[in-house]
Amino acid sequence: MSSISPRGPNSEIAHHHHQISYSAHFENSLHHILEYPPRSSRDGITIIPNTSSQQPQQGVSIREKDVDARNLPHITLQQLPLSVHDPRRIFASPVPGIRLTHPGGWLEGGEGPSGEEQRAWTREFVEANNISGEQELGMAVQHHMQQNVELAKERMRARYEAQQQNARVEKEIKTLMDQREMEVKIETRMKEDARIRRENREHKRKVPAV
């Protein structure tokens, strides 16, 4: 969800992202993952910045410049959100348990904002938080991401509680409707029995004595 993205829910960068259709199945899956994250901290291929001295590991990580855009899946807005189990999700995301289809892509799937948009967000974030170094930037982004994850968890919990409340109300309504249906059947049966008894009495009065 955009609220988990470091860009936050109010960013103009995410304008087209907000056009993604609502999916209860995806929301439920996301809620479960946020509430019960996987034990393993490694989930998906991580992207190593070109300036990093870290060495890529086969099947575990890849340097940013080595990602071939031609091998990345083409995903349209109409296909989103993708199932969290979609096999095209192979890259690590900030949320343990959810993989991305593209490096830096959206949690719902797709390539996400362009490099220029990400750089614009970085400049805004640095200025807004008075950040002076790369290490400080990394820590600030991590903190901001964690805040957004917690906000998403709260929203998911509220949604889940609302669903449970709606389910309870629907169950109560069904119970009342079933009860009323039974009452109507009993009333109908009683009226029918009364009609039959009345007709029997009238029939006896009309039968001449022998």
Side-chain angles (χ1 to χ4, degrees):
M1 307 303 295
S2 59
S3 58
I4 299 177
S5 164
R7 284 161 287 282
N10 299 320
S11 172
E12 292 183 359
I13 292 174
H15 172 70
H16 295 295
H17 176 246
H18 289 313
Q19 299 176 9
I20 295 175
S21 300
Y22 171 78
S23 168
H25 177 72
F26 180 81
E27 290 279 325
N28 291 337
S29 298
L30 185 58
H31 170 261
H32 186 271
I33 291 173
L34 289 174
E35 287 293 338
Y36 309 102
R39 295 180 180 179
S40 175
S41 59
R42 179 180 297 172
D43 188 22
I45 299 173
T46 57
I47 304 299
I48 301 175
N50 294 329
T51 56
S52 173
S53 60
Q54 180 182 349
Q55 295 302 309
Q57 299 180 45
Q58 181 68 30
V60 176
S61 58
I62 184 172
R63 196 168 298 282
E64 184 179 1
K65 66 181 180 63
D66 294 330
V67 176
D68 189 346
R70 294 172 298 181
N71 294 331
L72 298 176
H74 174 69
I75 299 172
T76 64
L77 184 65
Q78 289 71 29
Q79 293 175 288
L80 302 180
L82 296 179
S83 166
V84 296
H85 304 295
D86 192 290
R88 289 171 290 184
R89 294 178 175 272
I90 63 172
F91 295 101
S93 83
V95 181
I98 299 183
R99 297 183 180 186
L100 308 176
T101 60
H102 296 68
W106 300 116
L107 292 185
E108 291 88 344
E111 59 183 321
S114 67
E116 179 55 37
E117 289 173 330
Q118 293 187 47
R119 286 188 289 273
W121 174 84
T122 300
R123 289 193 297 269
E124 294 173 5
F125 188 79
V126 167
E127 293 174 1
N129 293 274
N130 297 318
I131 295 172
S132 58
E134 184 175 343
Q135 183 176 1
E136 187 178 348
L137 173 61
M139 294 176 61
V141 169
Q142 187 65 30
H143 177 69
H144 188 65
M145 289 290 297
Q146 188 58 41
Q147 285 184 320
N148 284 337
V149 169
E150 291 303 320
L151 287 174
K153 285 183 179 181
E154 292 177 8
R155 182 173 63 82
M156 291 294 177
R157 291 190 191 107
R159 175 179 173 274
Y160 177 76
E161 291 173 0
Q163 285 181 325
Q164 295 301 304
Q165 177 63 21
N166 289 340
R168 287 192 292 269
V169 171
E170 290 177 0
K171 184 177 180 180
E172 292 174 1
I173 291 175
K174 184 179 185 304
T175 299
L176 292 174
M177 292 179 66
D178 291 344
Q179 180 179 340
R180 179 53 185 161
E181 183 179 358
M182 181 62 67
E183 291 173 351
V184 170
K185 288 181 179 180
I186 293 174
E187 290 174 2
T188 302
R189 180 61 183 271
M190 291 177 65
K191 289 179 180 179
E192 181 65 16
D193 290 345
R195 183 186 64 79
I196 293 174
R197 288 195 298 270
R198 184 174 62 254
E199 290 179 352
N200 287 339
R201 288 195 300 269
E202 292 177 355
H203 178 71
K204 289 179 180 180
R205 286 197 297 268
K206 292 179 180 179
V207 174
V210 178

